[in-house]
Amino acid sequence: MRKSLTLSWRFLTSKLHKPLPLNRREAQQLLNRLNESFNRNLDSQHPQGLGHSEHSPDHHIQSLLKSPLFGNKRPQHNSPSALGIGSNEHGPLVRDLVFAVEQPVRFLKQQIADGKANLDTANLALDNQMKKILASPTLNPKENLKISEMGSLIVNWLWSSGQYERMEFIKDRTFTTRLMPFLVAEGQYKPVWEWLQRSCSTVCQPSVKEARLSFQKDIGMMLKALLQSEFTYGSGLESAMQLFMTSYKSLTLSSHVSIAITQRIHTFAGAYLMWSYASHGASAGVNDHTIKDFEQSVGQWAPRNMVAPYRALIDLCHPWTPKASRALQWISMIESSNGQLAKGNRQANVQIGLKTVEVLLAQGSTKDAAHVMKVIQTTFASEIGLDRRSPDSREGQEESTLRSLDMLLAT
C-alpha cells in the first residue's frame, strides 16, 4: 500500500514541472494515468469480491489434509506413499480427500447425513466449490453459484443442527465470507437479515459483555461479506448500497439494538462501499438518488473523523459532475491542524488528496492542485516515501518538487 502511494506521488510530482496540458488530448492522457494510479491504490487496500489467488495442487492438498475432518496427522512429503496411495491404512483417507475436492456438494451432503458435518467441513466444501466454479469454462460464476444450491444446503443444515439458534457460526468470519456469494446468487437474503437481527440482539445481552466488541466486528464483517457478494455476484454496487442503507434503518428501528452498536457494525461495510464507489462508481451505474442517500447516511455510521473526508470523496468521485470544494476544505483543515485531523487514517487521506489533485488538474485548477500536493508532501512524507530517502536525496527531491510547485503558482 505504501509503495503504491509512493509511486502515485512520484508520478504526480513528475508531471508538475512540465507545462500544463495545452490541449484536450494531453489533459485526457494525464487524467487517465491518474485514474489508473488511484484505482490501483484503492484496489490494493480494498480488493473486490473474494480471493481469486491460484494455489498449486500440492499446496491445496496440504491445506485439505490439515482439516480436522482428516485428523491431525499430515504427510511431510508429497510422495505417493506419504499421501497414502496404495496403502490400506490411508487409502480411505485419499478417497475421501478426492471426493471432497471433486464433488464438494455431495461430500457435504454425505457429511450431514452421517452426522459428521461441522463448520470445518462446511468451510472445506464452500472453498472447494468456489474453486471449481471459478475454474469452470462454462456459464458465469453467478449462474454456477446458483445452480450448485450450496447456500440452501448450508442454511438448512444450520437450522436442523441447532446452530441457527446459537449463532456461534457468525464468529467464523471465513465461513460467513465464503457462504455469502452462494446465498446472494440464490437470492437467499432472508436468512442473512434474520442472522443480523438475532446476532445484534444477542450482542446486547449482559452474558456476552466481555466479547461484545469482538462479536460486533464479526457481525460487521458478515454484513461486509454480504455487500461484497452483492457487488460481485449480485445486482451490483447500487444494490449493495441499498442493502446497506436498509440494514442500517432496520437496526435503528429495533428496540433491542443501541445506536452505538448499530454504528459500529456498519462501519466496516460502509468503508468497503465508500472505496468501492471511489474505485468503480463511474462504471457501476449508480444513480444520483442512491448516491445522495448514501452521502446523507455517512454521518450516521462513519467514525467522526472520517465523515468530512468520506463526503468529500463522494463528491470527488461523482460519475458525471465531480466536485473538489469539500475536499479542498478538508485538506485545508488538515493543514491547519498540522496533520492531527488525519491521525489514524493517514493512508486514506493521502488517497483522497491524490484524487483531489486529479480532479483539480482535469478542471484546470492548477494553483489549487499545486497547493494540495504541497500539503501532501509536508503532512504525509512517510506515506509517499520521502522519509525513506537519505537526507541529501530527500532534500534534493523536496527542493525539486518545490521548484515545480513555484513554477505552477507562477503560471
Side-chain angles (χ1 to χ4, degrees):
M1 176 61 190
R2 183 171 172 177
K3 182 177 180 181
S4 63
L5 290 176
T6 301
L7 293 174
S8 298
W9 168 259
R10 291 178 183 173
F11 172 77
L12 288 170
T13 53
S14 71
K15 294 294 180 184
L16 282 173
H17 75 279
K18 298 175 63 176
L20 293 175
L22 299 178
N23 56 51
R24 192 177 189 86
R25 180 174 173 272
E26 290 177 341
Q28 188 60 50
Q29 287 177 340
L30 175 58
L31 181 58
N32 290 341
R33 290 176 183 174
L34 287 166
N35 270 323
E36 291 174 4
S37 174
F38 185 70
N39 286 335
R40 281 196 301 272
N41 287 339
L42 294 180
D43 290 338
S44 68
Q45 186 175 14
H46 302 276
Q48 302 303 314
L50 301 176
H52 289 200
S53 60
E54 296 294 332
H55 299 278
S56 67
D58 289 343
H59 183 276
H60 186 44
I61 292 293
Q62 290 287 352
S63 67
L64 290 173
L65 288 172
K66 293 177 186 177
S67 169
L69 173 65
F70 302 115
N72 294 324
K73 295 182 179 180
R74 60 186 180 91
Q76 299 300 314
H77 304 284
N78 294 323
S79 64
S81 60
L83 290 175
I85 298 176
S87 165
N88 291 332
E89 180 181 357
H90 296 100
L93 171 63
V94 174
R95 287 195 296 272
D96 286 345
L97 176 60
V98 172
F99 183 42
V101 172
E102 293 184 350
Q103 301 185 60
V105 176
R106 289 186 59 191
F107 163 77
L108 183 58
K109 286 181 177 179
Q110 186 62 54
Q111 292 292 308
I112 293 173
D114 293 343
K116 298 179 181 178
N118 54 35
L119 289 181
D120 293 307
T121 56
N123 258 318
L124 181 66
L126 286 166
D127 187 38
N128 285 329
Q129 186 64 25
M130 178 59 81
K131 288 175 180 175
K132 280 189 64 177
I133 288 171
L134 295 177
S136 174
T138 61
L139 299 178
N140 58 54
K142 179 179 178 179
E143 189 63 25
N144 275 323
L145 287 165
K146 180 179 179 179
I147 64 178
S148 73
E149 297 185 343
M150 177 70 87
S152 297
L153 174 64
I154 289 182
V155 167
N156 292 334
W157 166 66
L158 290 173
W159 181 270
S160 63
S161 64
Q163 296 196 59
Y164 200 97
E165 293 296 321
R166 297 190 298 272
M167 305 298 291
E168 289 292 314
F169 63 89
I170 290 177
K171 297 179 181 179
D172 189 335
R173 298 177 191 173
T174 301
F175 171 72
T176 54
T177 298
R178 289 175 174 173
L179 175 60
M180 289 304 148
F182 293 91
L183 296 180
V184 166
E186 292 182 40
Q188 291 266 22
Y189 297 98
K190 184 178 178 180
V192 184
W193 295 132
E194 291 180 359
W195 298 341
L196 191 63
Q197 289 281 355
R198 288 172 56 84
S199 58
C200 287
S201 298
T202 300
V203 83
C204 294
Q205 296 175 5
S207 60
V208 295
K209 183 177 180 180
E210 294 77 9
R212 182 173 293 176
L213 289 176
S214 176
F215 195 34
Q216 288 175 32
K217 189 170 183 178
D218 294 333
I219 301 168
M221 296 307 287
M222 179 180 70
L223 177 60
K224 177 185 173 183
L226 172 67
L227 302 180
Q228 282 181 308
S229 300
E230 182 65 21
F231 181 20
T232 307
Y233 301 109
S235 299
L237 182 58
E238 181 169 5
S239 178
M241 287 180 167
Q242 291 169 347
L243 287 175
F244 174 80
M245 290 183 284
T246 297
S247 170
Y248 189 91
K249 290 175 182 177
S250 176
L251 289 182
T252 301
L253 295 174
S254 173
S255 59
H256 304 291
V257 186
S258 69
I259 296 296
I261 289 177
T262 300
Q263 180 185 32
R264 283 193 289 268
I265 287 171
H266 286 76
T267 295
F268 303 103
Y272 162 75
L273 287 178
M274 180 62 63
W275 294 107
S276 296
Y277 171 73
S279 184
H280 302 280
S283 60
V286 182
N287 67 44
D288 276 336
H289 181 71
T290 301
I291 293 172
K292 184 177 180 180
D293 286 349
F294 184 65
E295 186 271 330
Q296 290 176 345
S297 78
V298 168
Q300 298 172 325
W301 55 263
R304 184 176 301 176
N305 65 334
M306 289 304 293
V307 172
Y310 277 168
R311 285 177 169 164
L313 187 60
I314 290 174
D315 281 354
L316 289 169
C317 299
H318 194 281
W320 303 288
T321 55
K323 299 176 183 178
S325 55
R326 279 181 172 175
L328 286 172
Q329 291 174 4
W330 174 245
I331 290 167
S332 177
M333 291 170 65
I334 290 177
E335 184 181 23
S336 300
S337 71
N338 293 320
Q340 289 301 306
L341 284 178
K343 190 176 181 179
N345 295 281
R346 295 177 64 81
Q347 290 185 338
N349 279 287
V350 173
Q351 290 178 326
I352 291 171
L354 294 175
K355 183 66 177 178
T356 305
V357 173
E358 172 192 340
V359 172
L360 291 171
L361 287 175
Q363 295 176 347
S365 301
T366 55
K367 289 186 178 181
D368 286 337
H371 179 70
V372 173
M373 288 291 285
K374 191 172 183 179
V375 174
I376 294 173
Q377 179 189 4
T378 303
T379 310
F380 304 104
S382 61
E383 281 71 23
I384 60 177
L386 293 183
D387 66 335
R388 291 180 295 173
R389 301 174 182 271
S390 65
D392 292 341
S393 175
R394 182 167 64 249
E395 289 174 5
Q397 174 69 21
E398 292 175 353
E399 183 180 352
S400 174
T401 302
L402 289 174
R403 281 200 305 268
S404 300
L405 294 169
D406 289 340
M407 290 173 62
L408 274 177
L409 291 171
T411 58

